[in-house]
């Protein structure tokens, strides 16, 4: 967003922004700043759901806006089909939760980080938690003197294919990452998004993913513990409606626009 948007606009190129209109409505988030800028510089904007299109409309962007499915979902499909079968990844034999936490708004505040750690500890009471930990998160846990139990297995960061293999095999994912939303939907793995605000409200309202707000404090751990087998199964049954041939449809729309 940050490099391509202004560079393309200043070179008088026709800028196409895919997955535009996503808003968490918190302009402190760097990705939010970049998305807004790219949307308003673009010649065509492709929103991945109706809510994103409405966000653009509220900002006065109507011309050149199309709603197409999520390209990230299609990309995961391609990688899973071509690379996962060849990957030699050793997964835990027992059921496990996959966890990733890295966002500044979650890790820069000791109190917030303690709330999140409490929720992860709650999940780890009766199941293994696999936590490929970002170096910055690991450093801040040490700075805050937050210790995690032995049932939370801290691992170095994983390469993408290894991570997808672990996600595919997980009982549940808990994360503040943006990309993991589409990856978890593709593998139909229930996801708890650890953020105060999310761009994926349509999926949250549908019950495909749930949101755990760090500001809930002790309630965050309680909410995490309510993710029992029946709740997870209910999340798996929700259909997201993503489209695997969205890239072809976007290409077709761009050709029509150029013509």
């Amino acid at each position: 967003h940050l490099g391509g948007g202004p560079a393309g606009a200043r070179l008088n190129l026709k800028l196409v922004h895919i997955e535009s209109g996503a808003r968490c409505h918190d302009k402190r988030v760097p990705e939010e700043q970049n998305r807004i800028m790219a949307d308003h510089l673009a010649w065509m904007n492709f929103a991945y759901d109706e809510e994103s299109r409405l966000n653009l409309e509220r900002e006065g962007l109507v011309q050149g806006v199309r709603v197409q499915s999520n390209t990230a979902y299609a990309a995961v499909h391609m990688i899973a089909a071509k690379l996962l079968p060849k990957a030699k990844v050793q997964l835990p034999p027992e059921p496990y939760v996959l966890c990733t936490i890295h966002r500044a708004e979650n890790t820069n505040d000791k109190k917030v980080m303690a709330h999140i750690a409490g929720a992860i500890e709650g999940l780890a009471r009766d199941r293994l938690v696999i936590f490929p930990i970002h170096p910055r998160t690991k450093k801040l846990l040490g700075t805050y003197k937050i210790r995690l139990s032995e049932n939370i297995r801290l691992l170095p960061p994983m390469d993408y294919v290894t991570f997808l293999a672990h996600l595919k095999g997980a009982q549940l994912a808990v994360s503040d990452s943006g990309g993991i939303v589409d990856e978890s939907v593709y593998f139909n793995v229930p996801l708890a998004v650890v953020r105060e605000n999310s761009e994926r409200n349509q999926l949250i309202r549908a019950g495909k993913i749930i949101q755990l707000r760090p500001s809930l404090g002790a309630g965050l751990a309680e909410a995490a513990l309510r993710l029992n087998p029946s709740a997870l199964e209910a999340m798996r049954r929700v259909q997201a409606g993503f489209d695997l041939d969205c890239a072809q449809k976007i290409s077709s729309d761009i050709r029509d626009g150029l013509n």
Side-chain angles (χ1 to χ4, degrees):
H1 304 291
L2 186 59
R10 289 174 189 177
L11 290 169
N12 293 317
L13 299 174
K14 292 186 183 299
L15 177 67
V16 175
H17 191 199
I18 296 173
E19 298 181 10
S20 68
R23 299 287 185 269
C24 67
H25 305 290
D26 184 351
K27 290 184 180 177
R28 296 171 300 174
V29 176
E31 295 93 337
E32 185 87 344
Q33 301 164 14
N34 299 341
R35 281 191 295 259
I36 291 171
M37 180 170 58
D39 288 342
H40 284 262
L41 290 172
W43 165 65
M44 291 187 77
N45 279 306
F46 288 93
Y48 53 52
D49 57 27
E50 182 62 16
E51 180 170 315
S52 298
R53 187 196 67 76
L54 287 172
N55 288 334
L56 294 172
E57 186 178 295
R58 291 186 194 102
E59 295 173 16
L61 297 176
V62 177
Q63 295 296 323
V65 173
R66 307 281 191 279
V67 177
Q68 292 289 4
S69 187
N70 201 322
T71 54
Y73 180 87
V76 175
H77 172 73
M78 182 182 69
I79 293 168
K82 291 187 175 181
L83 299 181
L84 269 188
K86 302 174 186 176
K88 296 178 180 178
V89 180
Q90 188 70 38
L91 299 178
E94 69 267 43
Y96 63 91
V97 174
L98 182 64
C99 176
T100 71
I101 300 292
H102 75 280
R103 285 184 180 270
E105 61 261 37
N106 284 337
T107 58
N108 283 353
D109 187 310
K110 180 179 179 179
K111 188 175 181 181
V112 170
M113 195 67 240
H115 292 166
I116 294 171
I120 299 169
E121 288 285 2
L123 288 167
R125 287 179 199 169
D126 58 0
R127 64 201 116 182
L128 174 67
V129 174
I130 300 293
F131 193 168
I133 191 163
H134 192 286
R136 195 166 151 280
T137 305
K138 185 176 182 180
K139 180 181 177 182
L140 287 170
L141 284 175
T143 301
Y144 301 149
K145 296 181 170 53
I146 297 173
R147 299 186 60 129
L148 299 174
S149 66
E150 291 184 0
N151 212 32
I152 300 173
R153 189 177 297 170
L154 299 181
L155 299 177
M158 298 174 178
D159 65 76
Y160 189 55
V161 174
T162 301
F163 178 78
L164 286 185
H166 279 81
L167 177 60
K168 182 181 179 182
Q171 183 184 56
L172 166 71
V174 178
S175 178
D176 60 7
S177 170
I180 199 172
V181 174
D182 303 295
E183 295 152 1
S184 67
V185 167
Y186 179 78
F187 292 117
N188 204 20
V189 173
L191 171 67
V193 178
V194 185
R195 293 183 64 187
E196 286 299 319
N197 302 290
S198 173
E199 304 84 7
R200 312 307 294 274
N201 298 305
Q202 198 157 305
L203 291 173
I204 292 169
R205 285 194 299 271
K208 186 61 180 173
I209 61 177
I210 68 164
Q211 185 175 0
L212 300 181
R213 290 186 167 90
S215 61
L216 290 175
L220 179 67
E222 185 180 329
L225 285 171
R226 286 201 297 270
L227 293 170
N228 54 49
S230 61
L232 299 181
E233 184 54 36
M235 293 169 73
R236 290 189 192 97
R237 286 196 298 268
V238 177
Q239 299 298 310
F242 288 165
D243 195 349
L244 288 175
D245 61 352
C246 59
Q248 290 84 350
K249 291 177 180 176
I250 288 171
S251 298
S252 178
D253 283 347
I254 293 171
R255 282 194 299 271
D256 291 344
L258 289 171
N259 291 333

